[in-house]
Amino acid sequence: MRIWVSIVLLSISFFSCQNESQLVLTSSSPNTNVEVDFNVNQEGKPFYLVKFKNKVVVDTSYLGFEFKDIPSLEKNFKVKNTTTQSFNETWQMPWGEQLDVVNNYNELKIELEETSELNRKLNIVFKVYDDGIGFRYEFPEQNKFEGDVLIKEEHTEFNLTEDYKTFWIPGDWDIYEHLYSTTKLSEIDAKSYIPKTNLAQSYIPENAVNTPVTMVGKDGLHLSFHEASLLDYSGMTLKVDTENFNLKSNLVGSENRDYKVKQSLPFNTPWRTIQITDNAPDLIASNLIVNLNEPNKLGDVSWFTPMKYTGVWWEMHLGKSTWDYGMEMVDGKWTDTGKAHGKHGATTENVKRFIDFSAKNNIKGVLVEGWNTGWERWIGFEDREGVFDFVTTYPDYDLDEVTSYAKEKGVEIIMHHETSAATQTYEKQQDTAYALMQKYGMHAVKSGYVGKIIPKGEYHHGQYMVNQYNNAAIKAASYEVAVNAHEPIKATGLRRTYPNIISREGLRGQEFNAWSGDGGNPPEHLPIVAFTRMLAGPIDFTPGIFNIKFDEYRKDNQVNTTLAQQLALYVVIYSPVQMAADLVEHYEANPKPLQFIRDVGVDWKESIVLNGEVGDYVTIARQERETDNWFVGSITDENARTITLNFDFLEEGQTYDAVIYKDGEKAHWDNNPLDIKIEELQINKNSNLTIKLAEGGGFAISLIKTK
Ligand code: NOJ
Ligand code: CA
């Protein structure tokens, strides 16, 4: 691994230091485009300001904390000390969108102390990058707090200067699975958003948004607000003051306590992040979020390898089969009382069909949901503790047989742990559950947290749950298990520190297209997601539905994209586990488009965002690590458009056998989604291609080095 670190101490810039209250501390990014100024005002209130190319993007914004029982930390501060350093390293992702990541920033650390008799200390650290900033609070060791620090609210402001076009989901404390709204900042009305989440509880207490929230300015400025390294703290939503274009942190709370975060000294908060670029593609290219996380603490995680996977999954969402078997609880034990309904999906036989198909098609994993007892009571029951045990199989599923059959075929079974949000049951079971996986050589688990959290009163995004998700992943790592959580806490780049945190849901995934009462995800959904949710990290979206209309199963639902767009998603939406989500029979009926799923990579040496506009379209090229082959994906919203590509990212002097999977002449996401045209040609660095994308369409290209 090549790491180059340089730490240079810089002298601090003091501007206009006639007297202390006018002291301004400033730090600029390495290329000087981004600048942060910090000061305390007359009352000793700390504030900061952000400029991009000399224009104020975040105006005077105050910082502070409110606690339970003790005075707030918000004013009467003086600057005790400041330090600056610049940092430049290149680190490597064990798996990812790229191999080498440059982490280059200038840091400004301000040590504050209260001038009142309280004399408490608080540090604020800014890291200023070319693509934005991160800052966090550090509570140093001190004897000025008695016992634990109980935070009622963090008061971090982002005081914006323009009525941006904003792409947002409501600041729900329980689920991120909402459609994005596109409105002016001044028109955000999260309280009147009507949640369409069929599977989990939803709670939207304020006119607040969840992050990443992305904004586009009149002169092309792009901003995205989020957080990095969310550990032992509550998730942050941003409360919107629509009149003053102001965002303010609003932490997720709990009904069980009258504070939102409990911490003991010393501790640091997560990083509050602002990605700042002057075009949309650079937002996706930004590595700010991962860079703000600590380096790998797990060491070698090569026991997990990125993979495509199929699974017993879509068939349940379509209603072809069920998770449950038809057992009954007798004396506290799941018992086969002869009520099996015969529609159970996770049977040994069915799973073998997926194994055979995957082995034949260059797909390494098979996910099996509904394999363990408990699904008869998983949802809609108040008392769900003890329902699942994560080791007991239904009578028609033979784990020994399935895993050894998979092994013979070179395929790995992906474990499924639906906790139904009964967190104490899961905590108690984790060692046993992960040990079972280790015994069978299973290295990846998809976990799920559907429903209202038990214990009652907790929310999915509060500190209690943040610790549940993180502790589960850390424990899993000790059993060589990688985690892909659904109904998760948001991604904040922890995959750098714990690279067994491979992927997650945390958005309206493909499943909504199978059953959502509002008709599923509209064509604009993913062109928004690519510039919002995807900035946080990998997404288990589960692409690749070929039978777009599935009238045989659900007449009123469908996928709202063309078939070509479903292929493009393997490149556009990044995840180190990428599902081929459709039924085996639907793939077998379409061998030609299936070829793209067989060929496409899942682990990348380099990614280039070729073009895009937030909410409209995006085109990404990625180079596969193992082979150096390239893959390109492009998707559009409900508007047809023409995209011209040049291939100057390809290797000099190398020809590539290209296969282009594009929308047919008459393709349309609704009227004619299956119209696809597949062309083969040779491409090199000097080639150009003009491709038409249909309404809700896209294209995928594989570029395999000519031998
Ligand atoms: C919701 C998840 O998003 C979905 O993928 C899964 O099939 C169900 N929960 C059952 O665990
Ligand atoms: Ca879900």
Side-chain angles (χ1 to χ4, degrees):
M1 202 203 281
R2 182 166 60 89
I3 293 192
W4 177 67
V5 187
S6 85
I7 299 182
V8 186
L9 286 178
L10 298 175
S11 63
I12 309 153
S13 330
F14 292 96
F15 283 2
S16 56
C17 338
Q18 293 100 323
N19 66 50
E20 232 194 354
S21 72
Q22 281 175 321
L23 154 94
V24 174
L25 301 163
T26 146
S27 179
S28 303
S29 66
N31 71 2
T32 73
N33 279 350
V34 181
E35 182 189 312
V36 173
D37 297 346
F38 177 90
N39 206 345
V40 293
N41 75 1
Q42 302 289 346
E43 280 180 273
K45 288 179 81 167
F47 68 90
Y48 74 103
L49 210 129
V50 183
K51 293 180 195 152
F52 182 68
K53 297 187 175 168
N54 296 319
K55 193 188 136 185
V56 174
V57 172
V58 179
D59 209 343
T60 307
S61 296
Y62 291 97
L63 304 166
F65 287 89
E66 188 185 326
F67 304 105
K68 177 175 154 66
D69 300 334
I70 59 168
S72 297
L73 263 184
E74 54 173 358
K75 58 181 184 207
N76 303 325
F77 277 117
K78 67 170 185 244
V79 176
K80 272 291 266 193
N81 192 26
T82 58
T83 39
T84 60
Q85 59 163 329
S86 55
F87 188 86
N88 193 354
E89 68 168 347
T90 299
W91 58 279
Q92 294 198 321
M93 291 183 152
W95 46 263
E97 301 94 319
Q98 63 200 97
L99 185 59
D100 292 323
V101 183
V102 174
N103 184 13
N104 185 17
Y105 61 85
N106 290 327
E107 180 181 301
L108 169 65
K109 177 170 173 172
I110 302 120
E111 294 170 39
L112 300 171
E113 194 178 291
E114 286 176 305
T115 50
S116 64
E117 70 283 5
L118 288 164
N119 244 232
R120 292 171 298 181
K121 293 182 186 138
L122 177 70
N123 303 337
I124 302 174
V125 180
F126 291 92
K127 289 189 177 181
V128 192
Y129 288 79
D130 292 340
D131 54 357
I133 69 157
F135 62 94
R136 74 174 178 198
Y137 304 90
E138 298 183 352
F139 285 73
E141 188 68 68
Q142 55 194 299
N143 55 14
K144 312 285 177 194
F145 287 87
E146 268 167 43
D148 290 324
V149 178
L150 306 177
I151 300 174
K152 278 190 96 147
E153 196 56 272
E154 174 186 322
H155 294 295
T156 299
E157 286 183 355
F158 304 90
N159 205 355
L160 306 182
T161 54
E162 189 183 323
D163 195 7
Y164 291 102
K165 181 175 181 184
T166 306
F167 299 83
W168 58 274
I169 51 170
D172 196 322
W173 285 12
D174 250 332
I175 195 104
Y176 307 110
E177 297 177 16
H178 295 300
L179 286 178
Y180 282 83
S181 298
T182 307
T183 68
K184 284 186 179 168
L185 178 54
S186 61
E187 284 162 5
I188 292 176
D189 183 6
K191 294 285 280 178
S192 13
Y193 181 91
I194 299 162
K196 288 275 168 48
T197 46
N198 305 30
L199 282 180
Q201 205 66 29
S202 200
Y203 180 60
I204 307 169
E206 300 277 358
N207 186 22
V209 297
N210 261 312
T211 68
V213 55
T214 298
M215 302 185 188
V216 181
K218 284 183 219 70
D219 55 1
L221 185 77
H222 287 66
L223 300 176
S224 190
F225 298 85
H226 190 47
E227 58 183 306
S229 194
L230 173 53
L231 283 161
D232 203 5
Y233 205 82
S234 282
M236 177 184 70
T237 71
L238 294 172
K239 202 167 150 179
V240 187
D241 172 347
T242 51
E243 268 169 38
N244 300 304
F245 310 154
N246 179 283
L247 307 173
K248 201 170 188 180
S249 55
N250 191 242
L251 300 178
V252 173
S254 156
E255 305 303 324
N256 302 329
R257 292 172 284 282
D258 56 359
Y259 54 87
K260 290 178 171 179
V261 172
K262 175 175 171 175
Q263 265 285 8
S264 48
L265 296 173
F267 72 93
N268 303 330
T269 68
W271 295 93
R272 278 59 188 95
T273 63
I274 315 174
Q275 282 156 295
I276 312 172
T277 65
D278 48 19
N279 62 74
D282 282 355
L283 277 182
I284 298 178
S286 164
N287 288 308
L288 186 90
I289 305 295
V290 272
N291 272 335
L292 285 165
N293 278 266
E294 296 291 314
N296 184 348
K297 286 195 174 156
L298 300 182
D300 180 13
V301 290
S302 57
W303 38 263
F304 164 75
T305 41
M307 61 180 153
K308 293 173 272 188
Y309 71 100
T310 60
V312 183
W313 179 75
W314 188 238
E315 58 181 82
M316 281 87 93
H317 287 272
L318 288 183
K320 177 189 172 188
S321 68
T322 61
W323 283 274
D324 71 278
Y325 173 93
M327 293 186 105
E328 286 180 297
M329 190 71 106
V330 181
D331 299 332
K333 271 204 141 124
W334 286 112
T335 313
D336 187 358
T337 53
K339 300 251 173 71
H341 46 56
K343 275 192 85 182
H344 182 223
T347 66
T348 303
E349 199 194 338
N350 194 23
V351 174
K352 282 186 172 176
R353 215 165 56 95
F354 278 92
I355 295 171
D356 289 339
F357 172 78
S358 303
K360 259 190 247 150
N361 290 288
N362 191 31
I363 296 173
K364 244 197 59 193
V366 175
L367 165 74
V368 184
E369 293 198 4
W371 65 276
N372 58 329
T373 54
W375 288 88
E376 288 78 3
R377 269 179 75 92
W378 79 292
I379 200 170
F381 293 86
E382 274 286 304
D383 174 20
R384 283 166 278 122
E385 292 288 8
V387 165
F388 284 121
D389 72 4
F390 315 101
V391 290
T392 310
T393 56
Y394 278 128
D396 53 356
Y397 185 64
D398 186 331
L399 192 55
D400 277 318
E401 194 179 331
V402 163
T403 44
S404 60
Y405 187 78
K407 203 163 175 204
E408 248 169 61
K409 302 264 173 167
V411 167
E412 195 178 316
I413 299 294
I414 300 178
M415 181 43 95
H416 185 231
H417 292 165
E418 174 54 67
T419 68
S420 67
T423 58
Q424 284 155 355
T425 296
Y426 192 45
E427 247 188 314
K428 272 187 229 133
Q429 295 286 339
Q430 272 162 10
D431 282 299
T432 318
Y434 299 145
L436 180 87
M437 290 181 62
Q438 203 168 32
K439 171 178 153 206
Y440 283 107
M442 299 161 97
H443 291 289
V445 63
K446 169 178 169 178
S447 58
Y449 296 81
V450 167
K452 225 175 142 100
I453 298 293
I454 311 176
K456 225 174 159 174
E458 303 299 342
Y459 295 98
H460 280 75
H461 308 155
Q463 186 182 17
Y464 171 83
M465 283 307 294
V466 165
N467 289 336
Q468 286 288 323
Y469 295 112
N470 291 340
N471 293 343
I474 292 166
K475 174 163 280 185
S478 65
Y479 292 88
E480 301 195 338
V481 166
V483 180
N484 165 19
H486 278 228
E487 299 77 48
I489 186 65
K490 62 178 110 175
T492 57
L494 282 172
R495 64 175 159 141
R496 181 178 180 193
T497 316
Y498 303 105
N500 73 318
I501 302 181
I502 46 175
S503 195
R504 78 189 71 209
E505 193 186 39
L507 84 168
R508 270 178 62 131
Q510 184 88 275
E511 61 185 25
F512 274 77
N513 295 324
W515 39 249
S516 183
D518 61 3
N521 303 329
E524 67 165 16
H525 183 57
L526 291 169
I528 300 177
V529 162
F531 297 97
T532 50
R533 162 66 182 87
M534 200 165 86
L535 305 187
I539 305 178
D540 189 33
F541 180 76
T542 70
I545 299 303
F546 280 16
N547 190 319
I548 301 266
K549 296 266 182 184
F550 48 82
D551 283 346
E552 191 188 334
Y553 298 106
R554 293 260 161 84
K555 273 228 153 26
D556 296 333
N557 289 91
Q558 66 169 75
V559 171
N560 303 315
T561 75
T562 65
L563 172 55
Q565 181 177 122
Q566 287 295 308
L567 297 179
L569 297 179
Y570 286 89
V571 188
V572 170
I573 302 296
Y574 172 67
S575 175
V577 283
Q578 200 67 289
M579 190 173 202
D582 211 342
L583 311 180
V584 167
E585 54 272 31
H586 294 163
Y587 286 131
E588 283 175 342
N590 293 284
K592 284 194 175 148
L594 178 61
Q595 186 62 41
F596 183 77
I597 298 183
R598 296 172 58 122
D599 291 339
V600 69
V602 271
D603 196 20
W604 311 106
K605 188 188 248 176
E606 201 187 333
S607 291
I608 305 174
V609 187
L610 297 173
N611 53 50
E613 290 296 345
V614 186
D616 296 339
Y617 68 98
V618 58
T619 310
I620 302 181
R622 302 194 198 266
Q623 183 180 31
E624 191 178 19
R625 282 197 190 181
E626 236 170 79
T627 62
D628 281 351
N629 293 328
W630 284 87
F631 298 87
V632 184
S634 184
I635 63 172
T636 179
D637 61 4
E638 69 285 359
N639 299 303
R641 64 186 89 232
T642 301
I643 294 218
T644 299
L645 285 181
N646 71 56
F647 291 87
D648 56 11
F649 53 86
L650 294 176
E651 200 180 302
E652 187 74 60
Q654 174 70 48
T655 346
Y656 295 79
D657 299 326
V659 185
I660 296 153
Y661 304 78
K662 62 181 182 184
D663 295 321
E665 283 301 315
K666 300 211 168 70
H668 181 282
W669 65 272
D670 194 17
N671 307 333
N672 199 9
L674 301 182
D675 186 12
I676 190 166
K677 199 162 171 204
I678 302 173
E679 272 172 13
E680 291 178 26
L681 69 161
Q682 290 221 309
I683 295 265
N684 64 37
K685 205 178 170 50
N686 303 316
S687 308
N688 282 297
L689 272 184
T690 297
I691 306 180
K692 197 184 153 221
L693 289 75
E695 292 88 343
F699 64 80
I701 307 177
S702 55
L703 295 145
I704 314 290
K705 285 183 160 186
T706 308
K707 295 254 161 59

